[in-house]
Amino acid sequence: MRFTMRKTSISIILFLIGIAMILPVLWMVSSSFKYESDVFKMPMEWIPSYFNPQNYITAITEFPYAAWYLNTAKTTIVVVFLVLSISAMSGYAFAKLNFKGKDIIFFLFISTMMIPIQVRIIPQFMMFKSFGWINSHLTVTMPWAYNAFSIFLMRQFFMSIPNDLIEASKIDGSNAYGTFFKVVLPLAKPSLTALTVLSFTWGWNAYFGPLIYINDNARQLLAVGIATFKAEYADNFAIQMAGATLALIPIIIVYIIAQRQFIEGIALSGVKG
Amino acid sequence: MVKRNRMKHIKENAVGYSFILPSIIGFGLFMAYPLLHSLFLSVMDWNMFKGLSGSTFVGLENYKAVFENEYFRAAIMNNLKFMVMAVPLLLIISLLLAALLNQKIYGRGMIRAMYFMPYIATITAAAVVFSALFHPEFGPVNGLLKLVGIADPPGWIASVKWALPTVALFWIWKNMGYCVVIFLAGLQGISRSYYEAASIDGANKYQQFRHITVPLVSPTTFFLAVTSVIASFQVFAEINVMTQGGPGTSTVTVVYHIYDTAFKRFIMGYASAVSWVFFFVVICITGLQWLGQKKWVNY
């Protein structure tokens, strides 16, 4: 009996903190349907007495929303694919394959985790300019071909796979690639899920790159596009909230559908440091 | 026999390199080359309006200019203040919540999902929402404070004193879910038997947390401390959307300073020097953390 009391009270406290965490999002959705004059009315109306769709109509007609979504979806998928495939292959090589200079290369890679991206952003800008990549989505996707953090993450996971398993696969006649794709990769599902979540948020939240490399509004990504709302409708918070809601709803839907695997994936993988 | 071994060796190397080849190319193109180029730029006086031919070698002049620039000094101070305000608070709250979540509770999945949601949310959209919530005149946060009798609530992002703490608050909110999940992973690696033994010895929940959980989860805490410090130094989208470095220089950070000089005023040489000084500061702080870990991290 005492145990249930304790369990219930902790659950309630944690639930209330959870509500506090999502309160800004609830307020955003609620305000996005209000008339501007009601947004800051006190005491607050959580469910507006009438739903005003005008903010959404203004947002969608005055800003290239559909293009921003598509661009962001496209670049995010490419980022996830690049990060997963390249990091898994490298992580496996550093964990289980033998080749000359392996430790030195791995150390070199890991030490780059401390280098802030800002140190390379200026030469990278010049490089992309000379490639003719300005305004192209290659500028926001291709740099993910190298990502030390996720290589490290995958290596940590592959280290935990028993060597016997790899030996057994070799004896069965698989070559290194066969072993990797058919035996090892399927086992890496929790880590790959975790990395999918992380790289998805990296891709979806990309801000610094597109801000610098993309200036054509129709080719812009969501995170930068949304920020223009605040500048253009500085005094209209209802429209700002509609714009923010349009940016958040798709990601929240994806998240709710996949949340179990999302969080389990991170919690179960080797992200322990 | 020797020959066969050598063949095997060559083949092994080739297979290994083929697996890391894409990373090597990415490393060269997006890390090694830009770093060297950036080092070169940092000793050049180069304004993008002049074109490359207008650049001249100036030695360490840019570095001297960095230390003499009051914006840079304000920026580095703000970054340090931000780190001190945000990182410990983030880690303490996350660890406490993770420890509570790691017990048998109702609706665990849903609660974890609620905590993790801000981390997923589009950063600029969330920053737009926070700016409205903390609006000094009409914001609901101040509305609420007035309602409970605080006649003169803080000006939040419009106030020199409160702007940086407000951004820190936003940053903590945004990153807490991630830290909670990572802590949960660490906590799950602690064997139940320690707690059972402690409770037989009569240790209460607080003592168990203090003497079992905190020391045994310390490798995770260390990992998060190092990565959060680096992340706190890179705070940018929050600043650019919420405050643009203002009011005054109260929220200028080093990354914002780099962005401002490089991509708004196109002074590339100086900005490159700032980025190298910045890198050096990050390295020093990370190095100090490595040295300090012996005192409190248990492997």
Side-chain angles (χ1 to χ4, degrees), chain B residues 154-232:
Chain B
W156 305 116
I157 49 175
S159 129
V160 171
K161 193 173 144 205
W162 285 96
L164 199 64
T166 312
V167 179
L169 192 72
F170 174 68
W171 188 80
I172 292 171
W173 173 78
K174 190 85 178 56
N175 291 294
M176 207 177 79
Y178 171 76
C179 292
V180 167
V181 170
I182 304 290
F183 268 130
L184 272 172
L187 291 175
Q188 273 152 22
I190 301 176
S191 162
R192 287 272 129 210
S193 58
Y194 291 115
Y195 295 100
E196 281 153 20
S199 73
I200 291 167
D201 287 346
N204 63 29
K205 284 278 169 189
Y206 168 75
Q207 286 165 329
Q208 290 178 24
F209 177 75
R210 173 71 191 78
H211 297 289
I212 299 173
T213 310
V214 172
L216 287 182
V217 84
S218 59
T220 309
T221 315
F222 177 65
F223 168 77
L224 283 174
V226 170
T227 51
S228 304
V229 162
I230 295 175
S232 85

Side-chain angles (χ1 to χ4, degrees), chain B residues 72-291:
Chain B
F72 174 77
R73 282 200 294 246
I76 200 91
M77 281 315 289
N78 285 338
N79 265 130
L80 291 170
K81 277 190 229 163
F82 187 90
M83 175 184 84
V84 171
M85 279 191 285
V87 175
L89 208 59
L90 173 72
L91 296 185
I92 292 167
I93 298 173
S94 304
L95 176 58
L96 286 173
L97 288 176
L100 288 173
L101 265 174
N102 199 32
Q103 305 183 47
K104 289 195 180 72
I105 55 158
Y106 299 107
R108 181 147 91 169
M110 187 182 64
I111 292 171
R112 275 196 317 198
M114 285 161 122
Y115 291 1
F116 199 65
M117 209 190 67
Y119 184 69
I120 299 275
T122 311
I123 187 152
T124 48
V128 168
V129 176
F130 258 70
S131 303
L133 279 170
F134 283 87
H135 194 286
E137 279 172 67
F138 334 110
V141 172
N142 273 358
L144 217 68
L145 289 176
K146 280 178 192 155
L147 225 57
V148 297
I150 298 168
D152 192 22
W156 305 116
I157 49 175
S159 129
V160 171
K161 193 173 144 205
W162 285 96
L164 199 64
T166 312
V167 179
L169 192 72
F170 174 68
W171 188 80
I172 292 171
W173 173 78
K174 190 85 178 56
N175 291 294
M176 207 177 79
Y178 171 76
C179 292
V180 167
V181 170
I182 304 290
F183 268 130
L184 272 172
L187 291 175
Q188 273 152 22
I190 301 176
S191 162
R192 287 272 129 210
S193 58
Y194 291 115
Y195 295 100
E196 281 153 20
S199 73
I200 291 167
D201 287 346
N204 63 29
K205 284 278 169 189
Y206 168 75
Q207 286 165 329
Q208 290 178 24
F209 177 75
R210 173 71 191 78
H211 297 289
I212 299 173
T213 310
V214 172
L216 287 182
V217 84
S218 59
T220 309
T221 315
F222 177 65
F223 168 77
L224 283 174
V226 170
T227 51
S228 304
V229 162
I230 295 175
S232 85
F233 264 82
Q234 300 202 35
V235 53
F236 175 74
E238 297 86 340
I239 303 283
N240 201 29
V241 175
M242 292 169 86
T243 64
Q244 304 263 314
T249 55
S250 61
T251 57
V252 176
T253 58
V254 179
V255 173
Y256 188 80
H257 184 52
I258 294 173
Y259 168 72
D260 189 53
T261 41
F263 296 103
K264 280 185 164 167
R265 294 189 276 143
F266 304 107
I267 310 167
M268 297 297 191
Y270 169 84
S272 298
V274 177
S275 70
W276 278 95
V277 174
F278 174 55
F279 177 34
F280 184 73
V281 172
V282 173
I283 289 266
C284 285
I285 294 179
T286 311
L288 284 176
Q289 286 180 293
W290 274 105
L291 291 177

Side-chain angles (χ1 to χ4, degrees), chain A residues 25-42:
Chain A
V25 176
L26 300 178
W27 182 76
M28 169 193 79
V29 177
S30 151
S31 304
S32 70
F33 286 106
K34 288 178 183 169
Y35 288 99
E36 178 58 20
S37 54
D38 292 340
V39 170
F40 294 124
K41 211 163 79 181
M42 277 287 165

Side-chain angles (χ1 to χ4, degrees), chain A:
Chain A
M1 190 60 202
R2 216 183 115 246
F3 275 105
T4 9
M5 270 293 288
R6 200 188 131 78
K7 191 173 158 182
T8 312
S9 52
I10 293 177
S11 304
I12 291 172
I13 293 168
L14 288 174
F15 179 75
L16 290 177
I17 297 171
I19 293 284
M21 289 292 283
I22 63 167
L23 216 53
V25 176
L26 300 178
W27 182 76
M28 169 193 79
V29 177
S30 151
S31 304
S32 70
F33 286 106
K34 288 178 183 169
Y35 288 99
E36 178 58 20
S37 54
D38 292 340
V39 170
F40 294 124
K41 211 163 79 181
M42 277 287 165
M44 209 186 287
E45 265 184 336
W46 282 98
I47 297 166
S49 41
Y50 30 74
F51 281 87
N52 167 26
Q54 189 54 45
N55 302 317
Y56 285 94
I57 296 168
T58 312
I60 292 169
T61 51
E62 292 196 11
F63 293 86
Y65 249 102
W68 291 346
Y69 275 138
L70 269 163
N71 296 339
T72 311
K74 193 179 94 183
T75 53
T76 303
I77 290 168
V78 177
V79 167
V80 171
F81 176 76
L82 277 176
V83 170
L84 255 65
S85 53
I86 293 178
S87 310
M89 282 183 71
S90 303
Y92 179 68
F94 287 125
K96 294 292 179 195
L97 299 177
N98 285 313
F99 52 94
K100 227 174 145 184
K102 177 170 113 166
D103 294 335
I104 295 167
I105 299 172
F106 184 66
F107 177 76
L108 202 66
F109 276 19
I110 288 307
S111 57
T112 63
M113 276 204 276
M114 267 186 297
I115 303 176
I117 53 154
Q118 287 77 21
V119 183
R120 55 194 165 108
I121 206 99
I122 296 166
Q124 207 165 279
F125 176 79
M126 293 161 68
M127 182 167 85
F128 289 161
K129 218 173 157 194
S130 68
F131 287 177
W133 280 10
I134 298 300
N135 272 329
S136 153
H137 291 145
L138 290 169
T139 55
V140 279
T141 50
M142 288 320 285
W144 291 99
Y146 174 72
N147 178 8
F149 177 82
S150 50
I151 293 173
F152 176 71
L153 191 83
M154 291 313 296
R155 176 183 172 268
Q156 291 295 92
F157 173 78
F158 287 127
M159 294 280 269
S160 70
I161 290 184
N163 285 328
D164 298 348
L165 205 70
I166 294 163
E167 289 303 320
S169 161
K170 271 189 199 160
I171 291 163
D172 286 347
S174 284
N175 62 17
Y177 307 101
T179 307
F180 175 68
F181 285 108
K182 290 195 193 111
V183 179
V184 178
L185 216 49
L187 288 173
K189 228 177 124 193
S191 287
L192 291 174
T193 312
L195 202 50
T196 306
V197 184
L198 291 175
S199 51
F200 192 91
T201 56
W202 295 334
W204 193 266
N205 275 321
Y207 180 71
F208 204 56
L211 182 71
I212 289 165
Y213 304 128
I214 297 175
N215 41 50
D216 174 357
N217 208 19
R219 314 222 72 213
Q220 195 47 276
L221 303 191
L222 203 52
V224 180
I226 281 303
T228 59
F229 260 82
K230 203 171 162 261
E232 287 196 33
Y233 283 99
D235 298 322
N236 193 328
F237 291 91
I239 287 184
Q240 286 185 30
M241 291 312 118
T245 308
L246 285 171
L248 286 191
I249 294 301
I251 186 89
I252 289 174
I253 291 172
V254 170
Y255 174 55
I256 287 171
I257 294 169
Q259 65 97 0
R260 187 161 299 247
Q261 289 89 324
F262 261 25
I263 298 178
E264 295 287 319
I266 292 188
L268 293 175
S269 71
V271 211
K272 285 172 201 164

